[in-house]
Each structure stands twice: as C-alpha cells, then as structure tokens.
Amino acid sequence: MNPMYPIAQIRQIEQAAQATLAPGTLMQRAGTAAAHAALELIKFPHQQTSILVLAGPGDNGGDALESAAHLAQLGLSVSVLLHADPDKQSVAAKQALLRAQASSAKFIDSSQTNDVDAVITSTPWTLVIDGLFGIGLTRPLPDQLHQIVNTINRLHCVVLALDVPSGLDADTGNIVDDQAGGRGVAVRASHTITFIADKPGLHTCDGRDLAGQVQVARLGIDHSLFPASAIRLNHPDLFAASLQQRKHNSHKGSFGDVAVIGGALGMAGAVILAARTAAQCGAGRVFAAFLQDAPAYDSAQPELMCRRAHELDFSAMAVVIGPGLGTSAAARDVLLHALQAATPLVLDADALNLIGAESSLQKIVTQRQAVSLMTPHPLEAARLLGKSGAAIQLDRVDAARRLAAQYGSVVILKGSGTVIAGVDGEIAINPNGNAGLATAGSGDVLAGLCGALLAQGWPVWEAALAAVWLHGAAADTLVAQGIGAIGLTAGELIPVLRSGLNRLTAEQALLRR
Ligand SMILES: NC(=O)C1=CN([C@@H]2O[C@H](COP(=O)(O)OP(=O)(O)OC[C@H]3O[C@@H](n4cnc5c(N)ncnc54)[C@H](O)[C@@H]3O)[C@@H](O)[C@H]2O)[C@@H](O)CC1
Ligand SMILES: Nc1ncnc2c1ncn2[C@@H]1O[C@H](COP(=O)(O)OP(=O)(O)O)[C@@H](O)[C@H]1O
Ligand SMILES: [K+]
C-alpha cells in the first residue's frame, strides 16, 4: 500500500530491472509515461499549444528528450532547452537525444543564446516539462540554471516535473543547498510524474510545495523486484481495521476516559481545545485537568469535567499531557506522575520540552511499559534529540525514526508532510492538510484526537495514522469551504474531525459488507 523508497533503494530496483531488459527500455517507458501525463494535462491540444521541455545532462534529461520526441511526433509544437554535454550523456540519453533531434522538436541552444530568459518568456507555453535533474542531483543546480529555474517558477502555466522537481532532494524534501549554506533553487511544479516508485522527499518539508500533484509510473517493473518498504504514504487503508462501528449494546464506559493535563496560568485554552476534541471524537468521558485553578466548567462543552491536575486519579485513563503545561516544577511533578502511570500516554508540547531538558525523565520514557505517543513539532523534536530545528528539517524521516527508537515511542513529527514513525523503524508520511493548520492550537486538537482514539482502544500506530490523516482532511475540508487557509482557527477543526471520523467509519462498514 503506497510504498515509498529512498534513492538508494530506487537505484537497486532500477539495476535489477535493467538486468532483465534491453538497454534504454526504462528510459523509453519513462518518456512515454511522461508524454501521456503531459497530454492529460493539456487535455485539448490545439494549434497554439506549445510545450517547453527542459532537458539536463543525465538520464532525467534522457526521459525528457524521449517525451519531447513523442509529443513532437504527435504533431505538437515542442521546444527543447538542452543543458547537456552530448559527450558525457549515457548511451540511453544519447539515443533519446537522437530521437528528439530527428523529430520536429525545435532545439534552443542555451550556450548560443544571450538571453535565455527572454526566449522562455517570449512564448505563452501551455506546459513546461522539467527534466533537468532527477535523483542524480548531488549538488545545487549550476549557476546557469538558477536564472532559468527562477524564470520557469514565475510562469503561469502547468509545470510537469519528471521524477523529481529539479533541485529537490528526493530523500528529504529539502532544496539542495549550495556549499556556503545559501538557499539553492528548485523547480516549483504543479504536477510530478515520478518513476519506479514514490519518494519521501516529494511529500515532506519543501516537497509538497514543489512537487504539486504526484503520480507514480512504475515503468512495468515486476512487483517481485520491489523489496518490502519501510516508508508509506498515509492513507485510511492503513488504519481501516480500527474503524469500527459502535455496538448497540455499549455504554460510555465502553469508549474509555481521557484526561488532558496542562493549562498553566494563561494557557488554559490549550487544555480546553484538546479536551473538547477528545469529547467530540468519541471518548466516553473527558477530564480537563489544569495545573492551576480549574474553571468550574466549560460553558461551550459542559460535558467536560474540569479538575486540578494533582487531584485527578488518571491511572485508568488515556492521558494527554503537555498542552499549555508550562515547564514549572509543578508541571514536572505531574509529568513524572503521568510517565510512571501504566496508562496510554500522549506526550505533547511542554511535556516534550520538559523531557528534552532532563535525562532522568528521558530514561523513564524509554522504560515505560504502556504505550507512549509523542507529538513534537520540529523545535520540540530538536530539543528531544539535542539538535537544532534546522537539523531536524534537513532529514525529517531520519529525525522521526531516531526519536521513535530512542524513546521507545510512536512519534508524530509535525509540519508540512507530517512524519509518523513506529518503534520498529516503520514510517508513514501524511499527504493531506494545508497551511491553515499553521495556527495556534491546532497541535492541541491533534493531541486530543490521539487521546480519544487511544481511549477507544485503538492500537497506538493506527491511532497516530488516523489522527494525522483526519486532522489534515479536516483542514482541507474547511479550506474547500472558504474557511481558511487564512484565518482558520483550531476550534473550527473539531466538528469537522468528528464528521470525518464518522464518515470514514461508515464507509468502512459498507466496504466490509
Ligand atoms: N537509470 C535508469 O534505469 C532510469 C533512470 N531514470 C531517470 O534517470 C534519473 C537519474 O539519472 P542520473 O543518475 O543520470 O541523474 P540526473 O539525470 O538526475 O542528473 C545527474 C547528472 O548530472 C550530474 N550532476 C549532479 N548534480 C549536478 C549539478 N548540480 N550540476 C551539474 N551536474 C550535476 C551528475 O553527475 C549526473 O551526470 C532519474 O531521476 C530518472 O528520471 C528513468 O529513465 C528510469 C530509468
Ligand atoms: N504548513 C502546514 N501544512 C500542513 N500542516 C501544518 C502546517 N503547519 C502546521 N501544520 C500542522 O498543524 C499542527 C500544529 O501543531 P503545533 O505546532 O503543535 O501548534 P500548537 O502548539 O499551536 O497547537 C501540526 O499538526 C502540524 O503538522
Ligand atoms: K526533474
């Protein structure tokens, strides 16, 4: 289900496949698949339809040249901007170049053109195909291409990237930076057709912004050549087994209790958001536990039971600890108590900051027998790993995996392309959600949802996958309704999460019939 592979594994699959095929076969298949994808994007080609193909020095350029030849043979107006030394091309890419040269495609010689920018902007392109670099990019784009890529990124047409948007690291989703640490450039594609298998860097960090809609072309490679994958794209299929309709013969005790612990002075709202989410996403009973004085009740959600944290016996509940907890001595005490309880635990926000700052707490987390689920954003992850936030973002998959292994906890590393890591190294990357979630309190809502699912008996891995998926889907639904991305508030997510969870559950019940 939705497997993804790092570059090194893609290369192995590629080699195994090539051993059984005539030379150049995979490139020809990639070029054909790219041409089909281009035609689908153009939809109704007409006389003014014009396609610009950027072809680089390696085999990604070869794919582009194959697609250029196909599209030109179909009678479309194709221009090729070639950035390659034919003497250094692979045999397959040379063949592709010959085919493109033999077609009606026009070649723009960038070395003979003073102002390539002017050439690019002088034509109203219907489509740009980016075949500059793929998974072979080892250093930032060369200077000559900076300007071209910036110009392409300013065009208002469909941009189809082949394999990977040029400049993007397919493993990490980072733009390949220059030696001095300066920001490199990468093509911002509206669509990406990626070859052989999906790649993590297309879906996390800058990947979602640069790759656009991703489709996979397996190039006819036999399934047997694909090893088991440790990385998947999150999808309801991965947690469908836990989407169970409720029995008539049930009561509130059947769906568990959640305690949300946090809410130091001035930060009570974080607890309220998480607790309301837990209540509206199916927990049988929800306690909102505050470090300082608790409000008598929550007038918008009077079902919540408001308590002072140190007076609540949460030993038989799923516990969410951290939202607005602060890092005081009292906060540390209640955290220690929660860590020592044999209860499913969601560790969020200040609970993570406290753990990051104290090795004795770290040790207790690693020794817990009951399940732990950590929900750090990159800065919290940095504190937990003793790194900088920038270092976490450089390889989010690796960071999430390390955290899970080090803390013996399932980890949700938040941000665009949230990475979920299991203790055994299993990874899922979440494909939905949007920047509307970049608002105060949306993490509290996610933590509350995690708590609700754990209280209802979900296994921790499935709970993490489902919570992240539903959270992203709720934000997408709200944006589609015009409620966000700008100005979406975290509380608005809660009823949409509830309908999302009910809808998925009902759909799953139908599928099981
Ligand atoms: N090998 C195969 O079997 C297949 C490869 N395919 C395509 O081939 C691509 C990989 O091809 P390559 O390994 O040739 O790599 P790329 O085409 O991504 O380009 C890398 C080439 O540019 C050079 N290079 C790397 N960084 C550079 C930089 N910053 N400035 C200038 N030159 C730089 C490298 O030395 C190499 O020659 C894939 O992404 C995919 O598009 C597909 O055709 C499918 C089959
Ligand atoms: N640009 C974005 N795209 C997708 N999801 C995002 C984006 N920014 C934030 N999110 C999500 O929003 C939530 C924010 O959580 P967090 O940073 O803990 O905020 P808070 O502490 O204010 O609740 C996380 O689930 C994160 O993955
Ligand atoms: K590319």
Side-chain angles (χ1 to χ4, degrees):
M1 261 184 277
N2 313 314
M4 285 188 271
Y5 295 92
I7 294 170
Q9 275 188 307
I10 296 274
R11 294 278 192 205
Q12 285 166 6
I13 300 165
E14 208 172 64
Q15 273 173 16
Q18 271 176 339
T20 65
L21 295 166
T25 305
L26 287 180
M27 188 177 286
Q28 286 157 27
R29 290 181 185 171
T32 308
H36 280 133
L39 284 174
E40 290 216 344
L41 290 172
I42 293 169
K43 288 196 177 78
F44 305 109
H46 49 79
Q47 284 206 318
Q48 275 75 45
T49 299
S50 53
I51 302 170
L52 174 63
V53 177
L54 309 176
D59 284 352
N60 195 249
D63 299 344
L65 291 163
E66 287 286 356
S67 71
H70 278 296
L71 292 166
Q73 279 153 14
L74 290 171
L76 291 160
S77 167
V78 177
S79 299
V80 177
L81 186 62
L82 182 65
H83 182 90
D85 176 353
D87 293 338
K88 292 188 183 158
Q89 281 179 309
S90 68
V91 175
K94 274 198 185 91
Q95 292 295 324
L97 177 58
L98 290 175
R99 259 192 283 279
Q101 284 169 332
S103 76
S104 62
K106 297 181 280 289
F107 277 70
I108 304 167
D109 186 344
S110 56
S111 61
Q112 300 294 310
T113 313
N114 287 336
D115 193 351
V116 183
D117 258 17
V119 175
I120 295 174
T121 50
S122 63
T123 303
W125 306 106
T126 315
L127 173 79
V128 173
I129 294 181
D130 159 34
L132 288 174
F133 296 97
I135 58 172
L137 188 74
T138 49
R139 44 193 197 279
L141 295 190
D143 286 344
Q144 312 94 292
L145 292 181
H146 261 238
Q147 183 73 15
I148 291 178
V149 168
N150 284 330
T151 306
I152 296 296
N153 286 347
R154 282 196 297 272
L155 298 177
H156 297 288
C157 67
V158 180
V159 177
L160 173 65
L162 304 190
D163 208 16
V164 183
S166 299
L168 183 72
D169 182 325
D171 279 344
T172 68
N174 279 263
I175 295 175
V176 179
D177 280 343
D178 59 35
Q179 296 289 322
R183 202 76 170 122
V185 293
V187 169
R188 192 167 55 247
S190 54
H191 297 75
T192 295
I193 178 165
T194 198
F195 302 127
I196 299 179
D198 209 345
K199 302 167 180 80
L202 300 176
H203 299 281
T204 197
C205 206
D206 292 320
R208 292 190 71 202
D209 287 310
L210 295 174
Q213 282 180 39
V214 177
Q215 63 167 293
V216 180
R218 204 161 46 85
L219 307 184
I221 296 177
D222 195 80
H223 284 288
S224 64
L225 298 181
F226 289 78
S229 160
I231 313 180
R232 289 170 190 286
L233 206 57
N234 193 17
H235 186 273
D237 286 351
L238 299 179
F239 53 84
S242 296
L243 289 162
Q244 295 290 343
Q245 282 197 312
R246 293 188 162 185
K247 289 191 184 122
H248 289 294
N249 188 11
S250 60
H251 54 89
K252 63 177 182 265
S254 313
F255 306 113
D257 293 345
V258 172
V260 179
I261 303 172
L265 205 62
M267 298 196 285
V271 169
I272 294 288
L273 279 170
R276 285 183 185 174
T277 308
Q280 293 193 37
C281 292
R285 297 190 305 171
V286 180
F287 294 83
F290 299 83
L291 213 54
Q292 259 90 13
D293 287 343
Y297 70 104
D298 171 9
S299 60
Q301 191 82 63
E303 299 85 354
L304 303 183
M305 289 168 279
C306 299
R307 301 286 158 83
R308 292 193 62 163
H310 67 270
E311 288 166 359
L312 179 66
D313 175 7
F314 47 75
S315 57
M317 304 180 189
V319 173
V320 177
I321 186 162
L325 183 66
T327 53
S328 64
R332 188 218 176 255
D333 283 351
V334 72
L335 172 62
L336 178 64
H337 188 44
L339 290 174
Q340 288 168 336
T343 174
L345 195 53
V346 180
L347 294 159
D348 186 41
D350 283 330
L352 299 171
N353 292 330
L354 282 162
I355 292 166
E358 192 183 320
S359 57
S360 60
L361 291 177
Q362 293 170 11
K363 197 166 168 201
I364 298 171
V365 178
T366 61
Q367 290 169 343
R368 291 193 88 238
Q369 296 296 312
V371 296
S372 310
L373 171 55
M374 295 175 133
T375 57
H377 60 51
L379 217 55
E380 289 154 357
R383 293 178 189 125
L384 288 164
L385 284 174
K387 291 184 169 190
S388 68
I392 300 296
Q393 293 297 80
L394 274 183
D395 196 340
R396 288 166 53 78
V397 169
D398 180 66
R401 200 175 255 151
R402 275 173 202 272
L403 274 173
Q406 186 171 324
Y407 288 95
S409 167
V410 170
V411 168
I412 293 174
L413 176 57
K414 298 183 288 194
S416 181
T418 289
V419 180
I420 306 120
V423 180
D424 50 5
E426 194 175 4
I427 294 284
I429 300 181
N430 196 56
N432 64 9
N434 57 68
L437 289 172
T439 182
S442 69
D444 306 324
V445 167
L446 178 71
L449 176 55
C450 291
L453 298 178
L454 290 175
Q456 288 167 83
W458 283 55
V460 59
W461 176 249
E462 282 79 357
L465 296 179
V468 173
W469 173 273
L470 288 163
H471 193 243
D476 289 344
T477 301
L478 286 168
V479 168
Q481 293 169 359
I483 306 169
I486 299 166
L488 191 156
T489 55
E492 289 169 305
L493 293 163
I494 303 173
V496 191
L497 288 175
R498 174 173 61 189
S499 35
L501 179 55
N502 278 303
R503 201 193 58 248
L504 278 187
T505 306
E507 281 171 9
Q508 204 48 44
L510 274 180
L511 286 174
R512 285 196 197 105
R513 279 202 190 143

